[in-house]
Amino acid sequence: ATMELPAYGYGLRYEFGIFNQKIKNGFQIEEPERWLKHGYPWEIERPEFVMPVSFYGDVSTEKDEFGRIKYKWINTRQVLAFPYDIPIIGYGNNTVNFLRLWAAKSSNEFDLEIFQHGDYVKAVEDKNYSENISKVLYPNDNVIVGKELRFKQQYFFVAATLHDIIRRYIKSYETFDKFPDKVAIQLNDTHPTLAIPELMRVLVDIYDVDWDKAWEITVKTFGFTNHTVLPEALECWPVSLFQKVLPRHLQIIYEINRRFLDKVRTAFPGNEEKIRQVSLIGEAGEKHVRMANLGIVGSHSINGVAQLHTKILKTIVFKDMFEIFPERFNNKTNGITQRRWLLLANPELARLITDKISDKWITDLNEIRKLQNFTQDNDFLIKMYKVKKKNKERLAQYIKEQTNIVVDINSIFDSQVKRIHEYKRQLLNVLHILLLYNKLRDNPDINIIPRTFIFGGKAAPGYYRAKLIIKLINNLSKLINNDINIKNKIKVVFIANYGVSLAEKIIPASDVSEQISTAGMEASGTGNMKFALNGALTIGTLDGANIEIMENVGIDNIYIFGLKVDEIEELRKSRKYSPLEYYNRYHEIKRVIDMLISGELSDGDPALFKPLYDSLMYGVDGAAPDKYFLLADLMSYAETHKKINNDYADKLNWQRKALINIANISYFSSDRAIKEYADEIWQVKPVPIKL
């Protein structure tokens, strides 16, 4: 909207969020997060645009008067998609775009006849069953009922959205010839890729468009953004689930696949391995539809979200697809909006910047580069330091209120706040803290600047080891914070229920930003950008957008450690990596790993953290030992932290590095990212609104 682009966002109007995180006895406890408990004053009901969405049923065939086979999806169950519009207002202009969210409503409020016979529960059963679709964000898909619900959520919102888009289009045009010129649809990861067979179904079955023409329209309309390299996140759905819930779409996907593989066989004769890799249908285990492959085949543009990520997509994850469609792949590095993550989240720093260079940076972040002229302005650097200290005071007060832990505002605030996942390596951070703790126990007088380690993040309810890492952090916090012998030189804090509002408190107050994922596993990250914009210095691997941040701020103003992507890949392929080797070579590593099973961190229970120990030393669930290479990177990580400790001692120079980060982070504005999408994928121009 700030870019004055005519655009709509679409999604689901969830009643419940993922969950509210409570910490009880160190463990994550999930409680319902009712987003709509008090309604939402900014949304506008649009009942005139209700869309029916079908599920289940059968497919019938009949021939038309010309002998052509026509398909009909019959005997379906319908759910109504009820739209709510949230106005999205551009900054400093007259543009108001809309985010349209769909709520599921039953097509029958209740069965009156059943109600009259006294079975009140059964009378509203259909209503409840239908409305479950938009009830909760991320239903647990470890069970088949949850898997089916999540599948239905995805189809529900793309079907309603496509019908809404087509409704707008046919008001102005009689044929679909101009559809790709007038409509651009960006698929945000694999979750909405069902839109591809749905558009084909609508064009072919409802509007009688020839298959080849319909396919040309479809491919020209869709762009596909991939957000992950993790195999488990490359979504697949069982063919049996498709057959049950969306039988016509399964037929269409099979036909898309047949035609696609015929072309691949012509281009790569005899290469059955390539056929197996690129097929939309996976045969390993239960037969399944590969949604990422569908997204690639059905879109004219496929992009990653950081330069390294896009390179990995081309050379590893979708290597075979890239060889078939090299012209479709491109990069669009993620961005963040400075209007939220600096102007709103850090108003005192924003005022300081505006006083120095004017407020043009608010809508053109390239303007912030002018701050580079003040890196030798000690007065300005001291003012920055004072702003940071005020932000630390506010966060320290919040930490005291929430956790009853008192932290030193003169300590280094070192933050790792993000989803808890093994590849993001919160456990590496913990192992380093234990290294530091053991050094302080051996010699409390060693010269280190006090450090406050701040953690925040939710673990998926079904992700056992991630939840165990949260428990470990909280037990570590209790052990260290209560050890008077280390003279408060380190504190550990886990702040519950991390989300955007909490990020707005933590990020402006942080000195150090932990971006330490295993190289090659983080698609981009945006927390790294938010921290840098607020003057925190990054310690990170050469992963995701960390590389581009390093290129922009300079190697001297970021702390890089650890194995590179090619080194990780080589260790994986050769299977030469042995965590036991590091365990035996470094006494300090052996000592901290043994603490996981000594009972010292678990109130005398050596079994509590044994699953984490086993995953590091032996591997679990068929995985290789230490599959995220924590022990391979630990000593490099520890050495880099020593450098941070030494550099922070020179307060003025630290502020200079922080200012260089702020001044050179302009590339990572979402305005730049959106402009690249608009110019290079959507072919859409700004439409200024004059009043």
Side-chain angles (χ1 to χ4, degrees):
T2 299
M3 304 295 288
E4 300 183 307
L5 297 169
Y8 292 85
Y10 284 97
L12 279 175
R13 183 180 179 267
Y14 292 106
E15 189 172 333
F16 291 90
I18 184 167
F19 57 84
N20 274 320
Q21 181 193 54
K22 303 280 187 182
I23 301 297
K24 293 186 180 173
N25 191 29
F27 287 99
Q28 170 179 294
I29 304 296
E30 301 97 24
E31 294 185 350
E33 182 184 21
R34 191 162 188 178
W35 281 350
L36 298 176
K37 183 178 179 180
H38 302 295
Y40 189 61
W42 301 112
E43 68 183 5
I44 303 161
E45 292 187 14
R46 302 304 298 269
E48 67 272 31
F49 298 126
V50 166
M51 295 286 173
V53 177
S54 299
F55 296 96
Y56 307 110
D58 309 293
V59 181
S60 69
T61 57
E62 57 186 47
K63 289 185 178 179
D64 67 9
E65 56 269 39
F66 303 104
R68 297 174 301 181
I69 294 177
K70 294 292 175 188
Y71 295 87
K72 282 192 175 177
W73 189 13
I74 58 172
N75 303 326
T76 59
R77 287 184 68 173
Q78 283 198 334
V79 178
L80 299 180
F82 193 100
Y84 293 79
D85 285 353
I86 298 172
I88 307 297
I89 300 162
Y91 184 91
N93 64 27
N94 298 317
T95 298
V96 181
N97 289 333
F98 282 89
L99 172 62
R100 177 159 287 185
L101 300 180
W102 300 102
K105 305 282 186 186
S106 172
S107 51
N108 298 305
E109 275 300 299
F110 57 83
D111 190 312
L112 187 60
E113 188 177 341
I114 294 173
F115 183 84
Q116 300 287 19
H117 285 85
D119 194 341
Y120 308 122
V121 173
K122 187 163 175 43
V124 295
E125 197 174 68
D126 181 60
K127 173 180 167 63
N128 293 338
Y129 183 79
S130 300
E131 295 180 3
N132 277 342
I133 288 174
S134 58
K135 189 71 74 178
V136 65
L137 175 69
Y138 297 147
N140 188 347
D141 60 359
N142 292 344
V143 292
I144 190 63
V145 175
K147 196 180 287 289
E148 183 173 324
L149 177 56
R150 194 157 176 174
F151 184 62
K152 286 168 69 178
Q153 283 182 341
Q154 293 183 6
Y155 176 67
F156 173 79
F157 111 79
V158 301
T161 297
L162 271 175
H163 287 273
D164 201 43
I165 290 168
I166 289 168
R167 174 188 63 77
R168 295 177 202 277
Y169 175 82
I170 59 177
K171 286 197 295 185
S172 303
Y173 303 97
E174 292 182 358
T175 73
F176 283 90
D177 294 348
K178 292 186 176 181
F179 194 76
D181 300 324
K182 300 298 178 183
V183 173
I185 302 174
Q186 194 70 25
L187 302 172
N188 188 30
D189 219 354
T190 52
H191 311 111
T193 44
L194 283 168
I196 292 168
E198 173 66 3
L199 182 56
M200 285 296 291
R201 183 188 74 84
V202 171
L203 292 176
V204 173
D205 292 1
I206 298 175
Y207 289 97
D208 209 24
V209 178
D210 171 75
W211 177 283
D212 290 334
K213 180 68 176 173
W215 184 244
E216 181 188 351
I217 290 167
T218 297
V219 172
K220 284 182 177 178
T221 298
F222 286 111
F224 171 52
T225 300
N226 171 276
H227 285 279
T228 184
V229 298
L230 296 182
E232 64 266 28
L234 293 174
E235 210 171 26
C236 296
W237 290 108
V239 163
S240 58
L241 187 60
F242 258 99
Q243 184 63 58
K244 176 185 176 184
V245 180
L246 300 174
R248 177 58 181 141
H249 297 75
L250 182 62
Q251 290 180 337
I252 290 168
I253 288 168
Y254 270 123
E255 182 62 15
I256 292 169
N257 198 41
R258 182 189 70 78
R259 292 171 182 241
F260 168 57
L261 294 185
D262 282 350
K263 290 180 179 177
V264 177
R265 286 191 177 96
T266 301
F268 301 90
N271 193 339
E272 287 304 309
E273 176 57 23
K274 185 174 285 291
I275 294 295
R276 191 179 70 79
Q277 290 292 339
V278 302
S279 175
L280 307 190
I281 309 298
E283 304 283 349
E286 185 180 6
K287 190 181 282 193
H288 54 274
V289 179
R290 296 159 158 169
M291 304 308 285
N293 286 18
L294 176 63
I296 291 169
V297 172
S299 303
H300 68 279
S301 167
I302 297 98
N303 71 278
V305 290
Q307 286 174 6
L308 175 66
H309 174 224
T310 300
K311 182 182 177 185
I312 290 170
L313 295 184
K314 291 177 180 180
T315 57
I316 300 173
V317 181
F318 300 131
K319 179 175 181 288
D320 292 284
M321 283 292 197
F322 177 65
E323 288 174 2
I324 297 167
F325 302 118
E327 74 289 350
R328 293 187 182 183
F329 282 75
N330 62 92
N331 179 61
K332 299 287 173 281
T333 297
N334 275 340
I336 59 167
T337 170
Q338 66 270 23
R339 291 171 289 280
R340 175 174 286 279
W341 293 108
L342 181 51
L343 183 63
L344 183 67
N346 201 343
E348 288 174 338
L349 181 60
R351 276 195 294 274
L352 192 63
I353 292 169
T354 295
D355 288 346
K356 208 71 177 170
I357 62 169
S358 89
D359 65 356
K360 290 180 182 175
W361 62 270
I362 297 171
T363 51
D364 179 5
L365 198 56
N366 286 319
E367 287 285 316
I368 213 164
R369 291 177 181 274
K370 291 176 180 176
L371 290 176
Q372 191 76 29
N373 298 326
F374 304 103
T375 55
Q376 302 306 316
D377 183 340
N378 290 355
D379 181 56
F380 186 69
L381 297 177
I382 290 167
K383 285 178 180 175
M384 275 179 56
Y385 174 77
K386 288 179 178 176
V387 167
K388 180 69 73 175
K389 201 161 186 177
K390 278 189 180 177
N391 289 330
K392 290 168 85 166
E393 285 170 0
R394 278 190 282 268
L395 180 59
Q397 179 63 31
Y398 182 82
I399 290 170
K400 174 75 168 66
E401 290 167 2
Q402 297 297 314
T403 68
N404 208 31
I405 297 169
V406 176
V407 300
D408 177 5
I409 61 165
N410 294 308
S411 66
I412 300 171
F413 277 26
D414 181 320
S415 300
Q416 187 177 20
V417 288
K418 53 185 75 230
R419 181 166 52 98
I420 309 293
H421 196 293
E422 287 170 286
Y423 90 84
K424 293 179 183 288
R425 301 204 295 189
Q426 285 90 354
L427 188 53
L428 176 63
N429 196 344
V430 167
L431 295 178
H432 168 251
I433 294 169
L434 283 170
L435 283 178
L436 204 53
Y437 177 56
N438 286 336
K439 282 185 179 177
L440 282 166
R441 286 204 292 189
D442 295 344
N443 179 10
D445 295 320
I446 59 171
N447 184 27
I448 69 162
I449 294 170
R451 183 85 66 105
T452 300
F453 293 97
I454 297 164
F455 291 87
K458 296 178 181 180
Y463 192 170
Y464 174 68
R465 282 196 302 279
K467 294 174 84 168
L468 206 52
I469 289 168
I470 292 174
K471 171 64 172 168
L472 177 60
I473 293 167
N474 282 296
N475 280 21
L476 181 70
S477 174
K478 189 166 69 170
L479 175 68
I480 289 176
N481 299 350
N482 292 319
D483 188 339
I484 59 172
N485 295 317
I486 65 168
K487 303 177 180 178
N488 289 324
K489 286 191 175 173
I490 51 176
K491 289 278 182 83
V492 178
V493 178
F494 186 94
I495 309 178
N497 211 37
Y498 180 69
V500 169
S501 298
L502 188 49
E504 290 175 336
K505 292 182 175 71
I506 295 171
I507 291 171
S510 297
D511 299 300
V512 175
S513 160
E514 297 273 352
Q515 308 298 331
I516 60 176
S517 52
T518 308
M521 293 199 140
E522 186 72 81
S524 167
T526 56
N528 45 7
M529 304 167 193
K530 294 163 191 170
F531 276 103
L533 182 63
N534 282 273
L537 301 189
T538 303
I539 178 168
T541 48
L542 286 174
D543 195 28
N546 290 354
I547 297 171
E548 290 159 84
I549 291 175
M550 179 188 72
E551 290 167 350
N552 279 271
V553 306
I555 189 66
D556 294 334
N557 303 297
I558 189 170
Y559 295 90
I560 297 296
F561 74 95
L563 295 170
K564 300 179 179 69
V565 173
D566 54 347
E567 294 168 329
I568 295 265
E569 199 58 31
E570 180 55 37
L571 283 176
R572 263 202 204 99
K573 282 181 181 172
S574 66
R575 299 187 177 177
K576 286 180 181 174
Y577 174 58
S578 168
L580 200 59
E581 182 187 324
Y582 291 86
Y583 176 85
N584 290 326
R585 189 194 312 172
Y586 296 101
H587 167 70
E588 55 263 65
I589 289 182
K590 181 180 188 300
R591 190 175 171 189
V592 299
I593 295 298
D594 287 348
M595 287 175 79
L596 294 175
I597 52 169
S598 70
E600 184 178 4
L601 289 163
S602 50
D603 298 321
D605 178 6
L608 179 60
F609 298 121
K610 193 164 188 304
L612 299 178
Y613 175 90
D614 288 343
S615 73
L616 287 173
M617 301 308 297
Y618 308 114
V620 291
D621 303 329
D626 191 14
K627 67 181 281 194
Y628 300 107
F629 300 90
L630 277 71
L631 300 195
D633 277 352
L634 180 55
M635 296 314 291
S636 169
Y637 181 54
E639 284 301 312
T640 308
H641 267 293
K642 284 181 190 172
K643 186 167 180 0
I644 287 174
N645 180 74
N646 295 336
D647 288 356
Y648 192 81
D650 183 344
K651 293 279 200 304
L652 216 51
N653 199 46
W654 184 271
Q655 292 306 314
R656 189 170 289 115
K657 287 173 179 281
L659 181 57
I660 290 169
N661 269 262
I662 296 167
N664 289 283
I665 210 72
S666 62
Y667 175 76
F668 300 97
S669 171
S670 55
D671 297 341
R672 183 270 316 155
I674 290 296
K675 188 173 189 310
E676 288 181 5
Y677 278 98
D679 291 348
E680 298 168 25
I681 300 176
W682 307 332
Q683 309 300 317
V684 63
K685 303 291 183 193
V687 181
I689 306 296
K690 304 295 182 187
L691 294 182

